């Protein structure tokens, strides 16, 4: 299992079993006024793929703090999560957005601890918030990128007005 | 790491999370704790809406289709074999409470600095006891606020969020 993790770290796109994964970067956060939610925009390195992930307000706020590299006066939940893992020297190797079913994204967090690897089921928002704090790479499986209809998203983006951008409260 | 966290529970007062009250005027939640020894005084901590809801869900033992943030931390513990021993409210400065979470793995105990909300949300999920130091108990806010609290709770009936 450890070999698998190193495999991920050293490769941009790699075939792991039958699941292809692509490394993604967090490009930004947007407010979605129609759903009163926030969207985390993930893009791959050559900007050919985009993955929008809808998250709640507190998760968006946590991701925003990590993007802006702002340390709040008291540890927020994901800061606590990081210190929890740090206390036992458990390391986040990578996070992978693994699946998309009925508009819900699924993610896995890969950890190493005491020479063993662990995979923990997570919401993408927690996985991304933790990855940004631990400098762990974020991947998305090809099936997720395929399933997400870019046509639908383009249409949605066209409907956005300029004032819909930059409404994040932090 | 919190250096001043007491390493025994002798001088501590054990608390139990009783309920989470919505303060609709400020989009915050009030976590109401009672003393485990049955003394009637209350201990109140103001927390954010999402943290309050996480505590409420743990009290109701209701589950969500996907693991929420504190469920994920609990899951880390289960995978790594880390046990939450206790949460201790160790300090209060400018009306802000400070908590320390005690974690144990293979006989080694580590302490992690935390907001009370995260400490409560995790403690309830891990069946870990919650304590407050004598000093923090004496300096608690919300003394003599029982009447105010019951008024708030009456007002909130029928106004619970969906």
């Amino acid at each position: 299992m450890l070999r698998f993790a190193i495999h991920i770290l050293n490769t941009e796109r790699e075939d792991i079993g039958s699941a292809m994964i692509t490394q993604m970067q967090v490009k930004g956060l947007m407010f979605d006024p129609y759903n009163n939610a926030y969207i985390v925009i993930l893009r791959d390195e050559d900007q050919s793929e985009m993955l929008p992930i809808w998250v709640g307000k507190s998760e968006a706020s946590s991701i925003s703090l990590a993007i802006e590299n702002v340390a709040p006066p008291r540890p927020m939940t994901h800061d606590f999560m990081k210190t929890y893992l740090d206390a036992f020297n458990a390391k986040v190797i990578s996070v992978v957005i693994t699946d998309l079913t009925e508009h819900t994204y699924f993610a896995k967090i890969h950890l190493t601890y005491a020479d063993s690897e662990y995979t923990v089921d997570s919401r993408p928002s927690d996985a991304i918030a933790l990855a940004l704090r631990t400098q762990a790479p974020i991947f998305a499986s090809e099936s997720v990128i395929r399933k997400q209809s870019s046509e639908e998203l383009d249409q949605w983006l066209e409907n956005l007005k300029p004032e819909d951008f930059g409404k994040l409260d932090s | 790491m919190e250096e001043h966290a007491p390493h025994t529970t002798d001088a501590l007062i054990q608390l139990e999370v009783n309920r989470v009250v919505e303060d609709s005027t400020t989009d915050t939640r009030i976590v109401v704790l009672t003393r485990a020894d049955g003394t009637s005084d209350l201990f109140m901590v103001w927390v954010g809406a999402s943290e309050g809801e996480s505590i409420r869900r743990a009290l109701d033992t209701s589950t969500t289709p996907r693991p929420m943030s504190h469920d994920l931390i609990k899951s880390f513990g289960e995978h790594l074999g880390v046990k939450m021993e206790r949460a201790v409210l160790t300090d209060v400065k400018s009306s802000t409470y400070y908590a320390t979470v005690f974690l144990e793995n293979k006989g080694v105990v580590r302490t992690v600095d935390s907001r009370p909300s995260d400490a409560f949300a995790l403690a309830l999920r891990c069946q870990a006891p919650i304590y407050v130091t004598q000093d923090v108990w004496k300096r608690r806010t919300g003394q003599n606020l029982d009447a105010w609290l019951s008024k708030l709770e009456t007002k909130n009936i029928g106004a619970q969020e969906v």
Side-chain angles (χ1 to χ4, degrees):
Chain A
M1 281 308 278
L2 195 62
R3 205 155 51 93
F4 161 80
I6 293 161
H7 211 51
I8 296 177
L9 280 172
N10 292 339
T11 52
E12 177 72 13
R13 253 169 214 254
E14 196 54 64
D15 190 358
I16 294 172
S18 58
M20 290 274 282
I21 57 170
T22 304
Q23 186 164 358
M24 308 296 280
Q25 306 283 343
V26 178
K27 280 295 160 197
L29 266 169
M30 283 165 44
F31 182 63
D32 171 5
Y34 303 106
N35 296 301
N36 195 28
Y38 293 83
I39 311 169
V40 182
I41 307 290
L42 300 180
R43 297 209 84 154
D44 68 346
E45 202 151 79
D46 54 15
Q47 311 277 316
S48 65
E49 309 283 4
M50 178 159 75
L51 200 60
I53 297 178
W54 272 256
V55 303
K57 186 184 174 187
S58 69
E59 290 81 3
S61 160
S62 172
I63 290 168
S64 168
L65 288 170
I67 293 172
E68 305 289 339
N69 210 9
V70 175
R74 297 291 297 139
M76 303 303 282
T77 304
H78 296 102
D79 301 314
F80 172 70
M81 202 180 277
K82 179 187 183 291
T83 358
Y84 180 108
L85 295 171
D86 285 346
F88 292 96
N89 211 18
K91 299 239 180 302
V92 180
I93 302 265
S94 65
V95 309
V96 185
I97 317 294
T98 51
D99 201 5
L100 169 60
T101 319
E102 291 169 3
H103 308 293
T104 304
Y105 285 102
F106 292 78
K108 302 258 187 234
I109 297 172
H110 296 277
L111 301 166
T112 54
Y113 169 61
D115 298 329
S116 298
E117 188 178 320
Y118 300 87
T119 303
V120 182
D121 180 37
S122 156
R123 292 178 302 162
S125 56
D126 285 327
I128 293 166
L130 186 60
L132 290 171
R133 284 168 173 78
T134 55
Q135 281 79 48
I138 299 165
F139 296 92
S141 75
E142 291 292 316
S143 65
V144 166
I145 294 170
R146 255 201 323 274
K147 275 188 200 171
Q148 176 261 325
S149 156
S150 57
E151 199 179 311
E152 213 173 280
L153 180 77
D154 287 346
Q155 198 174 19
W156 182 88
L157 284 171
E158 273 171 29
N159 289 336
L160 275 182
K161 292 178 275 300
E163 57 265 34
D164 293 332
F165 292 83
K167 274 189 186 166
L168 203 67
D169 57 336
S170 65
Chain B
M1 298 283 172
E2 176 59 64
E3 285 168 22
H4 307 293
H7 284 268
T8 66
T9 56
D10 296 348
L12 301 175
I13 298 164
Q14 190 176 347
L15 299 176
E16 281 162 3
V17 179
N18 182 271
R19 60 195 184 275
V20 178
V21 178
E22 189 177 347
D23 186 349
S24 49
T25 54
T26 57
D27 195 33
T28 56
R29 302 288 184 274
I30 305 159
V31 182
V32 181
L33 300 103
T34 53
R35 285 175 68 129
D37 63 13
T39 315
S40 62
D41 300 305
L42 299 177
F43 192 97
M44 295 181 220
V45 181
W46 272 252
V47 304
S50 71
E51 290 83 357
E53 289 313 309
S54 177
I55 294 166
R56 194 206 295 271
R57 272 192 303 274
L59 273 182
D60 297 346
T61 60
S62 64
T63 53
T64 49
R66 299 291 296 134
M68 304 303 279
S69 303
H70 297 104
D71 302 318
L72 175 62
I73 302 173
K74 184 194 176 200
S75 182
F76 283 150
E78 287 167 350
H79 280 82
L80 307 180
V82 173
K83 182 177 174 279
M84 177 168 175
E85 289 202 322
R86 61 185 179 273
V88 183
L89 295 169
T90 49
D91 205 357
V92 53
K93 286 177 216 158
S94 316
S95 305
T96 301
Y97 289 108
Y98 289 71
T100 300
V101 170
F102 285 73
L103 304 165
E104 184 270 338
N105 174 264
K106 296 179 185 134
V108 179
V109 176
R110 305 258 187 238
T111 57
V112 177
D113 176 36
S114 155
R115 292 177 301 164
S117 56
D118 287 328
F120 296 160
L122 192 60
L124 288 170
R125 282 167 174 80
C126 300
Q127 280 86 47
I130 297 164
Y131 297 94
V132 58
T133 63
Q134 298 277 357
D135 177 55
V136 173
W137 171 262
K138 284 185 200 121
R139 294 158 62 201
R140 69 190 185 278
T141 47
Q143 296 186 58
N144 310 314
L145 281 180
D146 295 14
W148 169 83
L149 186 68
S150 59
K151 195 174 148 197
L152 184 73
E153 288 184 290
T154 312
K155 194 178 72 183
N156 277 342
I157 289 173
Q160 293 292 319
E161 75 204 87
V162 286

